[in-house]
């Protein structure tokens, strides 16, 4: 067998191996059928740099639950002060509560005076976090940041 044929054969085996790996990974993500629910409060401020902290609970439909802390940091063209009293989140595509913890990518545009409401979808790999909440404050701007959930 020539050197060229050996290289082509090795590349063919690598492609077959990759093709076999991708469906297995997709099936693994499809098995992630636990849904978790987040209830939280959050307050913060933004003056170019965005910062907020809060607390809440996560409960999953498989019986797992945890008290959590929440932090939001980021930057952008944002200004204001706000708080969310009745925040809720739906976390999907996880196997257990352990996959809920960590940082989720966040991007948004906000505008509100006195009472406001909002909704956002954040991601962490294949895990999605859909947030809704109502609160009070004054905020205006566009920001990009990180929404982190950790054990309390």
């Amino acid at each position: 067998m020539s050197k060229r044929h050996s290289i082509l054969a090795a590349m063919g085996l690598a492609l077959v191996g990759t093709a076999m790996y991708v469906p297995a990974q997709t099936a693994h993500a499809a098995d992630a059928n636990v849904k978790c629910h987040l209830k939280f409060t959050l307050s913060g401020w933004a003056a170019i740099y965005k910062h907020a902290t809060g607390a809440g609970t996560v409960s999953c439909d498989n019986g797992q639950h945890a008290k959590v802390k929440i932090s939001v940091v980021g930057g952008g063209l944002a200004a204001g002060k706000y708080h969310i009293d009745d925040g809720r989140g739906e976390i999907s595509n996880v196997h257990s509560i352990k996959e809920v913890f960590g940082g989720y990518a966040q991007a948004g545009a906000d505008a509100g005076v006195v009472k406001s409401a909002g909704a956002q979808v954040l991601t962490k790999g294949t895990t999605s976090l859909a947030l809704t909440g109502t609160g009070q404050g004054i905020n205006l701007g566009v920001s990009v940041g990180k929404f982190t959930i950790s054990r309390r």
Side-chain angles (χ1 to χ4, degrees):
M1 187 183 268
S2 73
K3 186 175 183 180
R4 181 177 173 197
H5 286 109
S6 296
I7 292 171
L8 290 173
M11 289 174 59
L13 287 174
L15 287 173
V16 169
T18 302
M20 295 173 106
Y21 176 73
V22 171
Q25 180 124 3
T26 304
H28 181 71
D31 292 342
N33 57 5
V34 174
K35 197 169 252 185
C36 298
H37 312 279
L38 170 67
K39 291 183 182 180
F40 68 96
T41 60
L42 185 72
S43 62
W45 53 267
I48 299 179
Y49 178 78
K50 180 179 183 179
H51 177 78
T53 57
T57 58
V58 173
S59 56
C60 301
D61 59 11
N62 65 359
Q64 297 174 313
H65 55 77
K67 291 183 179 185
V68 297
K69 16 180 220 189
I70 297 169
S71 68
V72 178
V73 295
L77 303 171
K81 188 174 180 179
Y82 57 90
H83 66 88
I84 297 171
D85 295 319
D86 188 26
R88 299 196 182 265
E90 296 292 322
I91 305 161
S92 58
N93 208 22
V94 296
H95 294 92
S96 75
I97 199 167
K98 289 188 277 184
E99 295 177 19
V100 167
F101 305 111
Y104 295 78
Q106 179 184 43
D110 303 307
V113 177
V114 186
K115 290 193 176 193
S116 59
Q120 240 179 33
V121 177
L122 314 174
T123 60
K124 180 181 77 148
T126 59
T127 302
S128 294
L129 169 59
L131 293 173
T132 60
T134 58
Q136 292 187 320
I138 299 172
N139 57 351
L140 175 64
V142 175
S143 62
V144 175
K146 186 170 154 184
F147 186 98
T148 303
I149 300 173
S150 55
R151 286 190 185 271
R152 217 177 347 154

